[in-house]
Each structure stands twice: as C-alpha cells, then as structure tokens.
Amino acid sequence: MKDKIIRKATELFLKLGFKSVTMDDIANEMAISKKTIYTHFKNKTTLVRECAFSVMDSITTGIDQICALDSNPIEELFEIKKFIMQKLEDDQTSSQFQLQKYYPEIGKKLHQNQLEKMLESTQKNIKKGIDQGFYRKNLDSDFIGRLYFMGITGIQNEDLFPIEKFSSKYRTEEYLEYHLRGIVTPEGLITLNKFIKEHKTND
C-alpha cells in the first residue's frame, strides 16, 4: 500500500503542485481513508520527501541504463534528453521550484543529489567524448559539468522562460544543442548535425 500511495501522490504532486494537493485529495483519489495514509507517512512533508526522491531515483536509474549502452557520447546525451522529456511533461517542470519554495529542506537535498549525479554522468560523458574525438581535448570536465547543470536547472525557471513562450521540449532541445556546439570538435559537429537533423525529422 505504501508504494501505491507514493505512486498516486507523486502523480498528483507533479500534475497539480506540491502545495495544492492535500492528504484528503490523495485519499479521495485512491478511495482510501486519510488514516491509511498516515499509517505509512507521519505527515505530508514526509510523503513529499518520499515522492520527490522516488522521482529522482527513477530518473537516475534510467540515466544509468542509457549510459550502460555505451553509445557515442552525443547520442547518449540525446537519449538522456529524450528519456527525461518523457518523464517530465510541461505541466510538471515547475515542480522543483515549488519544492524549493514550500519545502526548502527537501528541495535543497534533492538539488544536491541531482548535482552530484549530473556531475558524475557529465564528466564520464565528456571523458568518453574526448577519448573518441567528438569533444575538444582542452575541456575542464568539472567546470563544464557544473555549467551544464546550472543551465539545465536554470531553463526550468518560468520567470525567465515562461511556459507559454518556451515549451519544456523547446527549452531542453535548444539548451542541449547549445551545450554540445560549445564542446564538439569538427568531427563531433558532423555527428551532432546528423542527430539534430534526424531528431527534427522524427518529431
């Protein structure tokens, strides 16, 4: 039952927002009593924490599986982007900012975990790209990893990028291309252009 509550609550939190969804809403959606929820979760904050890290774990597992395929580094980033876009639709992209506003301790911990994971995967991607000749040899992988993380999280800020003007899909695709064009070699640029062309054809 605990896992079912987490799944339903996560769905509602991402769709409607962490603040607006109440324990009563979750109970009503699941046709269970609120008491049943409190049997597994001390309070709403505890439930929010479980849901937030459940999403994080799901995304981390998916990224690890993509990286394990050992594709070329440019294809790897496109596949990760595609996977994350499937996970988080337009109406869900502001959820992290809500988390930081209404549950700052959870938001801070989640942000730190995301940073650590992205630094790890980005640095591996850059090393592979350099070794295979797709990325420039003089890259500082730690700096680039932090810059990439700052951009990926920053483009979700709807004050800077209002959803009615910049869809989540547009923001993510444009930023990935921007990131890659800054680090590829001439050979890597040929591969990048190929992926951009194929990607736009398939959309």
Side-chain angles (χ1 to χ4, degrees), residues 163-180:
I163 197 76
E164 61 273 10
K165 189 172 183 181
F166 306 101
S167 71
S168 179
K169 181 172 181 290
Y170 178 84
R171 281 175 276 162
T172 307
E173 288 183 350
E174 289 297 310
Y175 186 71
L176 177 57
E177 181 178 340
Y178 176 83
H179 165 70
L180 284 168

Side-chain angles (χ1 to χ4, degrees), residues 81 84-85 88-94 155-156 158 161-175:
K81 184 267 303 180
I84 292 175
M85 290 307 302
L88 300 174
E89 301 295 337
D90 268 341
D91 60 352
Q92 301 175 355
T93 54
S94 63
I155 60 173
Q156 305 307 327
E158 292 182 7
F161 302 97
I163 197 76
E164 61 273 10
K165 189 172 183 181
F166 306 101
S167 71
S168 179
K169 181 172 181 290
Y170 178 84
R171 281 175 276 162
T172 307
E173 288 183 350
E174 289 297 310
Y175 186 71

